[in-house]
Amino acid sequence: MKTREKKNFYEKDIEEKQLDRKVVMKLLRYVAPYKLIMAFTVLLLLIIAALEIAGPYLIKIAIDKYLSTKQMDGFIYIIILFASVLAGLFIFRFFQQYLTEYLGQKIMYDLRMDIFRHIQKMEMSFFDKNPTGRLLTRVTTDVQALNEMLSSGIITFFGDIFMIAGVTIVMISLNLKLSLVTFSVLLLLAAATFVFRKKVRISFKIIRAKISNMNSFIHEAVTGINTVKLFNREGGNNAEFDNLNKDYLFQYLKTIFYYSVFFPVVAFISTLAVALIIWYGGGQVIKSLLTLGTLVAFIQYIEKFFHPLSDLAEKFGIIQEAVAASERIFSLLEEKPKIFSPSSPVKVKDVKGDIRFENVWFAYEKDNYILQDISFTLERGKSLAIVGATGSGKTSIINILNRFYDIQKGGIFLDGINIKEYDLEFLRRHIGIVMQDVFLFSGTILENIRLSNKDISFEQVVEAAAYVNADKFIRKLPDGYNTDIKERGQILSVGQRQLIAFARALVFNPEVLLVLDEATSSIDSEIEALIQDALSKIMKNRTTIVIAHRLSTIRNADNIIVLTHGRIVESGPHKKLLEAKAVYYKLYKYQYQLQV
Amino acid sequence: MRKLLIGVSRKIEYSIRNDFFAHLQKLDSTFFENNRTGSIMALMSNDLDAVRNFLGPGLLNLFSTVFVFISTVTIMFLISVKLTLYSLIAIPLLPLIVSRLSAMLYYRFKISQEHYSLLSARTQESIAGIKVIKSFTRQNYETDNFAELNSQYINKNMELAKVRSFFWPAMILIGGIGSLLVLTVGGMQVIQGQLTLGQFVQFSAYIITLTWPLISLGWVINLVQRGEVSMGRLNSVLNLSPTISVPQKPVNIDHYKGDIVFNNVHFFYPEVKSYDIGFLENKTGKTKSYIKKFLELISKYFLKTEDQKNGPEFSYKDADLTNARIENKQSKKDSNYTETGINKSLKKPEWVIKKINFTIKAGMSAGIVGFTGSGKSTIVNLLPRLYDPQQGVITIGGHDIKNISPAALRSHIAYVTQDAFIFSKTIKENILFGKEQFLQFSEANNPDGKEIDGKIIRASKIAHLHEDVMKFPDGYDTLIGERGVTLSGGQKQRLAIARTIIADPEILILDDSFSNIDTATEELILQDLKIHTSQLTTIIVSHRISTIKDSDIIIVMDEGQISETGTHSQLLKKCGIYRKLYYRQQLSDELKEEL
């Protein structure tokens, strides 16, 4: 039973990955801006092929015209020509290689930018579905794999084609009969290549599946490392990994088998070709139907003919890998963002800050409504506190107001205009958020407050920080505002980070402010007082919706909404709600009173 | 030849990958907190590939190059000594160019990798912080910033490309100079009658044979440089030793039913440099050491196969012993790496928990409550030695747990973690996770596996998972996780409980294990646990008072310190955090019932 299950799990993703036309077309779009460079590279490849072909030809002339007739005059020109061919090859090869890399890097750059921009455009639910690691892989590893295909695949392919074509033409023009004899051997080669490709393709498919099995296993083992340790499963994991690793090894050894059959076969065929040429051509030379030089040139051309072919076989794996990567990239790029600016957004100069919710229904997942029929109005400059138990939908109100998520039914209006009619960036610029889990970027405190917006001066940052009581502790840090914060900001306490978030919100000066102020754990009383003070300061004269936890904040709010299971059960100012002696009264009595 | 070398390289890759994986499993939690999963996986794929390419195709070509070179030159000498010497005139240029350029390649490749790391770290942050970026409309800035790193990275790559593009044509040129000289000198000799035309033809054929090895030599050197950089990256992780040490002479305890005592325990999460940084700081790269490394790898590979011959079956006990042996060896070799990391942060410790003192009597139940971030989970992480405290002592039945091997300790402590990490396996395999020896044992005695199934069902019933499992298409053989049935949060937690209690542990830790399970079911599970495991010492961490209110002792955490301890009724009398929490939760429960 166990093995059966294993099979289902481990062999699921073996599927055909061929370089189909669609992927090529999409890739060509990225090549298009560099048409000139591409054309130039191809031209260089042509020149290189021509020069390569010229080499043996010069030797042929040298043998036929000078060596066999023992004539010294003019031999020097052949040598000079040969030397210039060598020098030319060196120079052109250098430029061709360099340009190819340049092209590859430029295309990678564009592709990475496109993916990055695209990811930034996606809506929040996209990030809920796609873990960071997966998106990161698209931008880094997958793009890298694609570059391989471009430089080692497509470009060398051109070069090889030119070489094969050029050699064929020259051979035919030198001697048709001898060419035909040579080409007859090539049919054999074509057959061998065909069989090899077929065998290897299947193997590569399996190998890719094995790699992905191994990767998911590693990923699980690393992310679940604590569980592994607690259950003493290291040994078992090692054994299991060993099996996957071994599978992969054996599969690979199989392809090595194909390769090690294929290459000797190619070598044999090419030797056979040489033998045929010498046997047939030699006879011709003796009968003086063929010059010795031509025979020598033919032998050298055979070499140039076979190398590109075995090259193609070597590159096969790389190309397979890249096709898989490009498919992943393009399927990401094709996923359209579901939340975007309207094609012709309303043009307003200023935002005043009137907010209205009209029968709003909202669900993260189909039909599972987190918010049900929410309606309220909030005038400019006023504040609204939302209270309720965890899971009652408080946070969702914030998530839908700046369109992190879109609502299913009803409407949300800012200054009487539906928020869907605003330009998305405009909307968000005027609606600030102070989040509970304060995300800090690696960089200085200064940059974390102004989020690297150079329009905000250092003085403004200090002013804002001082206003929300953050200036004092920031100045105490080793480098003040220039103190480096590592990812996740470990040097700051939870309370301090909260104050930084306030400063951040303040310095951007939005007309509407959303504050998530849920029970933040261990904040000592001193900093607690600072936070309360800062909160009331930034709420002053600003339309504010606060998911409240602190009594002081709730009491000072102009209006309070009590939310239960996504519905408004009560609303009104503090005093009125207390007098009603209903839900809020109870909340207040048991919970908030204890804070005093 | 080809089959042999490439095959060996694959086998070496296999054994490095196995070693690396086994080593990863030994490293402790601190390492995984400081290194992103993505980078670790990059090491196991990209870098390992580079090493293998060096060992396989790289060496294959090197060997064939040397072989072809020597045999061809010998024949050439037989034909004409003078001409051979002429044609080899350019060869001394080779080592000159190779040594100059390969050092450049190595250095530039390293810089390019550095920028790759930067780019990837930045991307990671931009994705993780997407909410802030969106709400402050900083997309444009983020994009500009990314564009800058992106172009820096390609610029570094172009610098690398410059050297690389020079390398290969240069190698061909050196070969070409040989041909040119043969044509010139040989041609003159033919014309002057010192050499026959046939000899000339033969000679020029050989010189062409010589050109290819030279070209592939350029390619090989490129592979070697890459391989070396990557091997350095791999080694920087392989040389790390776990900070949780295995005692030299671990004490053997038969049962773990003694009192659990925390005596003045202090702890902070140590910061370890990520391997990326550690590697990049080590800039004095020894360029010539790769031959040594290669020999090491080869010998390691052959030793390994011998080992496998001796004992093909991988038993868990053996694994533990070898682990311990390797650990000791490695900690001798180099351990100042991690130590310096800790020493640095020791200067100014920011304790996550401090002055923790408490005793839990054998067989009793203890509850730990407090706000998020107050240090509850940290306390229970110390017991199975996921981390070791920097100060203070933790004892079980009078034995300092530092003297007990982590593996032995963990096999007696059942710990249901907060996140309930479930693996992409069947439900049965998940429940038996780490207890596979049960399976082998029972299969030997009892081919039907009935006994073991009974055990699974019993554990599953205690965790109230059984009914859910029965609804799945394949019952206990249902595949779950990424590619199978998705479990709900509550089902995951109940599965985590089931897999923990199946082994009949002596100590049970439940860390917020009921957060996605409704209170009624939670109550039932707790009751069943009590009935079936009366001898058990239990520690329950929760932010829900209802979960822990019946505990024999309740520890209230606040800001990393114990603020109060006592029983439920004792604590209610004090006007502390506990009372506050209690009333708040009672209220929200009431609210829920009302509506």
Side-chain angles (χ1 to χ4, degrees):
Chain A
M1 179 106 32
K2 209 173 152 192
T3 46
R4 182 178 63 89
E5 291 295 341
K6 276 249 163 66
K7 263 190 187 141
N8 284 345
F9 172 55
Y10 285 127
E11 284 172 18
K12 228 172 199 170
D13 47 10
I14 302 171
E15 48 184 298
E16 188 83 16
K17 286 250 159 36
Q18 267 185 296
L19 186 64
D20 65 53
R21 196 170 288 161
K22 261 199 233 152
V23 174
V24 175
M25 289 311 288
K26 280 174 204 148
L27 265 179
L28 282 181
R29 266 214 312 268
Y30 283 92
V31 183
Y34 307 104
K35 265 185 289 203
L36 275 179
I37 298 176
M38 182 77 178
F40 194 58
T41 316
V42 172
L43 182 71
L44 285 177
L45 283 168
L46 260 174
I47 296 173
I48 291 167
L51 288 177
E52 285 237 32
I53 293 164
Y57 197 77
L58 283 174
I59 297 211
K60 169 199 142 37
I61 295 174
I63 292 174
D64 288 350
K65 245 187 161 174
Y66 302 99
L67 300 190
S68 48
T69 56
K70 309 229 179 233
Q71 192 186 334
M72 198 61 156
D73 302 337
F75 182 54
I76 186 79
Y77 296 114
I78 296 291
I79 289 167
I80 291 171
L81 268 179
F82 194 80
S84 8
V85 164
L86 282 181
L89 271 178
F90 173 70
I91 293 164
F92 290 125
R93 274 217 182 91
F94 172 77
F95 283 113
Q96 181 264 322
Q97 281 250 310
Y98 188 75
L99 280 180
T100 305
E101 292 246 18
Y102 180 78
L103 194 66
Q105 294 292 336
K106 279 284 178 194
I107 292 171
M108 281 216 290
Y109 175 87
D110 292 347
L111 202 56
R112 256 192 229 114
M113 287 314 295
D114 273 7
I115 302 169
F116 188 83
R117 274 199 207 102
H118 186 75
I119 290 175
Q120 296 262 313
K121 254 190 281 174
M122 297 308 283
E123 71 282 352
M124 283 316 294
S125 51
F126 172 83
F127 293 95
D128 298 340
K129 275 182 308 206
N130 292 289
T132 312
R134 188 186 299 166
L135 297 176
L136 187 64
T137 314
R138 296 294 165 278
V139 183
T140 54
T141 330
D142 283 349
V143 174
Q144 211 88 357
L146 220 131
N147 180 45
E148 295 277 330
M149 168 156 85
L150 208 84
S151 53
S152 349
I154 297 175
I155 303 274
T156 28
F157 182 71
F158 271 121
D160 291 346
I161 293 286
F162 288 152
M163 185 65 82
I164 291 173
V167 169
T168 312
I169 292 168
V170 174
M171 277 165 87
I172 290 175
S173 64
L174 277 178
N175 189 306
L176 182 64
K177 268 192 189 161
L178 192 55
S179 309
L180 289 178
V181 171
T182 318
F183 294 150
S184 67
V185 182
L186 291 179
L187 283 176
L188 262 177
L189 187 70
T193 314
F194 181 76
V195 172
F196 167 75
R197 270 179 52 124
K198 212 171 162 187
K199 290 276 181 203
V200 168
R201 174 177 293 162
I202 297 164
S203 277
F204 267 102
K205 261 186 288 168
I206 300 172
I207 285 173
R208 244 196 340 270
K210 303 272 180 218
I211 292 178
S212 102
N213 289 340
M214 213 152 59
N215 280 342
S216 13
F217 186 81
I218 299 171
H219 193 266
E220 264 195 7
V222 171
T223 43
I225 188 77
N226 274 349
T227 310
V228 171
K229 283 183 179 295
L230 286 169
F231 285 84
N232 278 323
R233 187 63 175 20
E234 291 99 327
N237 263 6
N238 285 345
E240 208 170 315
F241 182 71
D242 182 59
N243 277 334
L244 291 174
N245 200 359
K246 222 180 252 162
D247 267 6
Y248 167 73
L249 173 70
F250 287 148
Q251 202 55 46
Y252 234 112
L253 292 180
K254 237 190 239 171
T255 64
I256 293 171
F257 170 76
Y258 295 133
Y259 272 104
S260 49
V261 170
F262 179 69
F263 281 99
V265 165
V266 171
F268 173 74
I269 294 173
S270 88
T271 317
L272 189 70
V274 173
L276 262 178
I277 289 171
I278 293 173
W279 172 71
Y280 179 80
Q284 299 274 37
V285 172
I286 292 164
K287 287 182 213 152
S288 290
L289 290 171
L290 191 76
T291 64
L292 181 62
T294 310
L295 187 66
V296 171
F298 252 84
I299 293 172
Q300 294 192 2
Y301 283 136
I302 280 288
E303 184 92 12
K304 299 212 186 289
F305 213 111
F306 280 89
H307 253 282
L309 280 173
S310 48
D311 214 34
L312 283 179
E314 283 273 22
K315 299 270 159 60
F316 197 70
I318 297 172
I319 292 176
Q320 287 285 304
E321 198 83 22
V323 172
S326 55
E327 272 174 14
R328 287 196 295 268
I329 289 175
F330 288 124
S331 79
L332 171 71
L333 286 177
E334 265 161 27
E335 200 172 326
K336 293 272 171 294
K338 290 188 194 77
I339 295 176
F340 43 83
S341 295
S343 48
S344 50
V346 284
K347 291 208 164 59
V348 272
K349 253 195 192 150
D350 303 308
V351 168
K352 296 183 185 75
D354 293 320
I355 289 171
R356 191 169 83 246
F357 272 57
E358 246 179 46
N359 309 96
V360 170
W361 290 70
F362 170 67
Y364 289 100
E365 281 160 44
K366 234 182 164 188
D367 295 334
N368 183 12
Y369 284 104
I370 303 294
L371 293 176
Q372 300 171 22
D373 205 26
I374 301 286
S375 300
F376 64 83
T377 48
L378 179 61
E379 279 170 43
R380 70 192 69 166
K382 298 276 190 217
S383 57
L384 171 74
I386 302 176
V387 295
T390 352
S392 59
K394 289 173 299 183
T395 319
S396 304
I397 290 190
I398 284 188
N399 278 339
I400 58 178
L401 189 51
N402 72 352
R403 296 192 68 198
F404 274 165
Y405 299 86
D406 269 348
I407 55 172
Q408 278 79 7
K409 282 185 256 178
I412 303 172
F413 301 89
L414 176 64
D415 293 348
I417 303 167
N418 193 318
I419 55 167
K420 286 189 180 173
E421 287 172 39
Y422 286 99
D423 175 74
L424 203 54
E425 288 219 356
F426 179 87
L427 182 77
R428 287 181 183 155
R429 209 176 306 136
H430 294 276
I431 301 178
I433 292 194
V434 177
M435 257 168 291
Q436 186 185 359
D437 173 24
V438 185
F439 190 90
L440 295 174
F441 296 89
S442 42
T444 62
I445 300 243
L446 174 70
E447 297 307 332
N448 260 294
I449 291 178
R450 65 176 179 189
L451 291 170
S452 305
N453 185 345
K454 299 284 184 264
D455 295 338
I456 298 168
S457 70
F458 178 69
E459 286 72 29
Q460 279 173 292
V461 170
V462 175
E463 199 188 330
Y467 193 62
V468 298
N469 311 317
D471 183 61
K472 226 175 170 180
F473 85 80
I474 294 174
R475 285 190 191 279
K476 273 189 208 153
L477 294 171
D479 293 318
Y481 281 87
N482 291 319
T483 306
D484 232 332
I485 303 180
K486 282 191 188 164
E487 206 183 358
R488 301 275 157 206
Q490 275 155 345
I491 58 164
L492 300 176
S493 76
V494 182
Q496 288 171 333
R497 285 160 66 172
Q498 199 92 61
L499 290 181
I500 297 228
F502 286 154
R504 194 190 266 173
L506 192 68
V507 92
F508 278 83
N509 199 21
E511 282 79 3
V512 180
L513 190 65
L514 311 172
V515 182
L516 261 162
D517 173 42
E518 283 255 54
T520 28
S521 57
S522 55
I523 291 176
D524 57 57
S525 47
E526 190 190 347
I527 210 153
E528 170 72 32
L530 292 180
I531 289 177
Q532 281 193 19
D533 179 58
L535 198 54
S536 65
K537 275 180 185 166
I538 58 172
M539 283 167 70
K540 204 178 279 169
N541 298 324
R542 205 187 301 271
T543 315
T544 316
I545 297 180
V546 55
I547 308 299
H549 145 66
R550 292 181 175 82
L551 176 64
S552 61
T553 320
I554 300 170
R555 213 167 33 193
N556 294 335
D558 297 309
N559 203 6
I560 298 165
I561 282 179
V562 183
L563 220 55
T564 313
H565 295 303
R567 286 181 179 276
I568 297 179
V569 286
E570 234 183 337
S571 70
H574 178 68
K575 262 195 183 152
K576 201 186 117 196
L577 289 181
L578 275 192
E579 280 160 16
K581 297 216 170 187
V583 186
Y584 181 77
Y585 173 76
K586 272 191 186 165
L587 264 168
Y588 178 75
K589 204 177 125 208
Y590 287 119
Q591 183 170 350
Y592 300 117
Q593 220 169 21
L594 289 167
Q595 287 179 4
V596 187
Chain B
M1 180 71 175
R2 180 185 186 90
K3 189 164 181 194
L4 180 78
L5 256 182
I6 307 262
V8 166
S9 81
R10 285 285 170 188
K11 280 174 194 158
I12 293 175
E13 176 198 8
Y14 157 82
S15 90
I16 300 178
R17 187 180 276 124
N18 261 0
D19 283 358
F20 194 84
F21 185 79
H23 187 73
L24 273 185
Q25 302 258 310
K26 265 185 288 156
L27 291 174
D28 39 77
S29 311
T30 315
F31 173 81
F32 293 96
E33 269 153 32
N34 287 286
N35 287 290
R36 293 193 305 270
T37 315
S39 334
I40 296 170
M41 292 188 60
L43 274 179
M44 288 192 76
S45 51
N46 294 354
D47 287 305
L48 206 55
D49 279 353
V51 172
R52 183 242 308 146
N53 278 338
F54 152 58
L55 291 174
L59 285 171
L60 174 73
N61 276 281
L62 193 67
F63 283 156
S64 70
T65 301
V66 171
F67 181 74
V68 170
F69 192 84
I70 291 173
S71 54
T72 313
V73 169
T74 314
I75 298 174
M76 282 163 73
F77 264 112
L78 292 178
I79 300 169
S80 162
V81 176
K82 198 176 157 198
L83 199 51
T84 311
L85 289 178
Y86 269 114
S87 65
L88 295 181
I89 249 175
I91 300 291
L93 277 175
L94 203 71
L96 210 77
I97 292 182
V98 167
S99 65
R100 275 291 303 268
L101 289 192
S102 65
M104 274 168 95
L105 267 182
Y106 179 84
Y107 185 64
R108 294 190 183 189
F109 187 66
K110 213 164 152 180
I111 290 181
S112 150
Q113 288 292 92
E114 261 181 62
H115 278 83
Y116 186 72
S117 271
L118 282 178
L119 185 74
S120 132
R122 183 74 213 178
T123 313
Q124 151 113 17
E125 254 186 59
S126 300
I127 299 170
I130 190 74
K131 237 178 173 171
V132 178
I133 292 166
K134 274 182 185 287
S135 58
F136 285 90
T137 61
R138 302 303 295 153
Q139 283 106 317
N140 288 339
Y141 165 72
E142 282 301 315
T143 312
D144 290 349
N145 190 296
F146 179 79
E148 203 188 309
L149 285 173
N150 196 359
S151 66
Q152 271 175 17
Y153 173 58
I154 68 162
N155 285 342
K156 296 297 165 201
N157 273 347
M158 284 322 292
E159 270 168 37
L160 180 65
K162 244 181 248 169
V163 184
R164 274 217 300 239
S165 315
F166 182 76
F167 214 99
W168 184 56
M171 296 308 235
I172 301 180
L173 184 66
I174 292 176
I177 291 174
S179 299
L180 181 68
L181 287 170
V182 168
L183 181 67
T184 318
V185 180
M188 307 269 248
Q189 284 184 338
V190 172
I191 293 169
Q192 287 159 7
Q194 288 164 329
L195 198 73
T196 67
L197 192 57
Q199 280 173 321
F200 173 80
V201 170
Q202 210 181 348
F203 219 93
S204 40
Y206 283 126
I207 206 81
I208 289 196
T209 325
L210 266 191
T211 319
W212 275 109
L214 285 176
I215 295 171
S216 71
L217 193 66
W219 182 62
V220 167
I221 285 161
N222 191 15
L223 286 183
V224 167
Q225 294 308 332
R226 272 172 188 261
E228 209 197 338
V229 170
S230 291
M231 198 62 226
R233 286 164 63 85
L234 287 169
N235 273 337
S236 67
V237 173
L238 284 172
N239 289 341
L240 285 178
S241 49
T243 46
I244 305 289
S245 57
V246 178
Q248 295 283 338
K249 283 178 193 155
V251 282
N252 283 315
I253 321 173
D254 298 339
H255 58 87
Y256 287 73
K257 282 186 185 143
D259 299 353
I260 298 169
V261 180
F262 273 60
N263 188 3
N264 198 25
V265 171
H266 290 60
F267 174 74
F268 65 88
Y269 288 98
E271 199 182 309
V272 175
K273 283 185 232 164
S274 77
Y275 73 86
D276 263 343
I277 298 161
F279 167 65
L280 293 172
E281 277 176 358
N282 170 30
K283 272 210 169 127
T284 51
K286 289 162 273 166
T287 328
K288 298 295 164 214
S289 58
Y290 49 81
I291 296 166
K292 214 175 97 196
K293 262 176 210 151
F294 168 68
L295 287 176
E296 261 172 42
L297 287 174
I298 294 268
S299 60
K300 206 171 175 188
Y301 159 68
F302 283 112
L303 285 177
K304 194 98 193 174
T305 37
E306 294 238 317
D307 275 355
Q308 276 168 354
K309 269 177 218 155
N310 293 338
E313 280 301 313
F314 197 96
S315 80
Y316 294 84
K317 253 188 188 161
D318 286 350
D320 215 46
L321 285 174
T322 35
N323 280 354
R325 200 185 63 213
I326 294 165
E327 266 162 34
N328 285 336
K329 220 168 44 187
Q330 257 159 0
S331 57
K332 261 177 223 157
K333 225 192 274 171
D334 118 296
S335 59
N336 48 0
Y337 188 83
T338 42
E339 273 164 20
T340 46
I342 291 171
N343 284 339
K344 215 171 145 193
S345 19
L346 257 181
K347 278 176 202 158
K348 200 189 158 197
E350 290 245 356
W351 299 115
V352 175
I353 54 169
K354 52 188 169 185
K355 294 183 223 156
I356 302 294
N357 287 297
F358 63 79
T359 305
I360 300 168
K361 292 245 180 273
M364 276 177 119
S365 65
I368 304 179
V369 280
F371 298 109
T372 7
S374 58
K376 294 172 300 193
S377 300
T378 308
I379 290 185
V380 287
N381 275 340
L382 298 180
L383 206 51
R385 293 191 69 197
L386 284 181
Y387 302 91
D388 277 343
Q390 284 83 2
Q391 279 182 32
V393 178
I394 302 168
T395 57
I396 296 177
H399 300 283
D400 185 343
I401 57 169
K402 277 190 183 166
N403 295 331
I404 306 171
S405 91
L409 187 66
R410 287 169 194 161
S411 66
H412 293 275
I413 298 176
Y415 181 4
V416 184
T417 47
Q418 239 169 32
D419 59 345
F421 195 92
I422 306 295
F423 295 86
S424 312
K425 296 168 180 290
T426 65
I427 293 181
K428 187 174 169 180
E429 284 168 321
N430 262 295
I431 293 180
L432 282 175
F433 190 72
K435 316 280 180 312
E436 286 84 353
Q437 66 268 40
F438 277 14
L439 205 62
Q440 284 155 9
F441 178 74
S442 75
E443 265 167 12
N445 290 313
N446 173 0
D448 303 336
K450 281 225 172 93
E451 189 190 334
I452 192 73
D453 283 349
K455 269 196 158 169
I456 291 173
I457 290 169
R458 180 176 156 262
S460 170
K461 275 186 174 160
I462 295 177
H464 285 251
L465 180 71
H466 185 68
E467 278 175 33
D468 292 57
V469 174
M470 286 296 116
K471 282 181 203 149
F472 289 136
D474 296 325
Y476 283 93
D477 290 314
T478 308
L479 194 64
I480 47 179
E482 228 178 291
R483 296 166 205 217
V485 175
T486 316
L487 295 186
S488 74
Q491 283 169 334
K492 273 187 195 165
Q493 287 188 331
R494 278 176 282 152
L495 176 56
I497 293 172
R499 76 172 170 203
T500 317
I501 54 186
I502 190 167
D504 294 321
E506 275 108 338
I507 297 169
L508 176 67
I509 303 171
L510 298 166
D511 183 3
D512 224 343
S513 315
F514 300 101
S515 56
N516 289 316
I517 301 171
D518 62 277
T519 6
T521 316
E522 174 190 330
E523 202 102 325
L524 289 173
I525 296 175
L526 282 173
Q527 271 173 20
D528 283 358
L529 266 177
K530 240 173 233 165
I531 296 164
H532 291 280
T533 53
S534 53
Q535 294 290 303
L536 199 65
T537 311
T538 324
I539 303 175
I540 303 177
V541 176
S542 182
H543 62 264
R544 240 192 242 168
I545 299 282
S546 59
T547 314
I548 51 107
K549 66 177 189 308
D550 298 326
S551 304
D552 299 317
I553 181 175
I554 296 167
I555 298 161
V556 185
M557 290 296 294
D558 188 33
E559 286 177 58
Q561 297 198 50
I562 296 178
S563 77
E564 38 191 7
T565 51
T567 61
H568 179 67
S569 53
Q570 283 169 349
L571 286 171
L572 274 190
K573 278 174 203 147
K574 295 180 190 170
C575 267
I577 296 174
Y578 187 80
R579 197 175 127 102
K580 227 193 244 183
L581 276 169
Y582 177 68
Y583 280 117
R584 187 187 291 178
Q585 283 173 13
Q586 201 182 37
L587 174 90
S588 65
D589 288 348
E590 248 177 64
L591 275 178
K592 265 183 199 154
E593 273 166 36
E594 227 167 86
L595 294 151

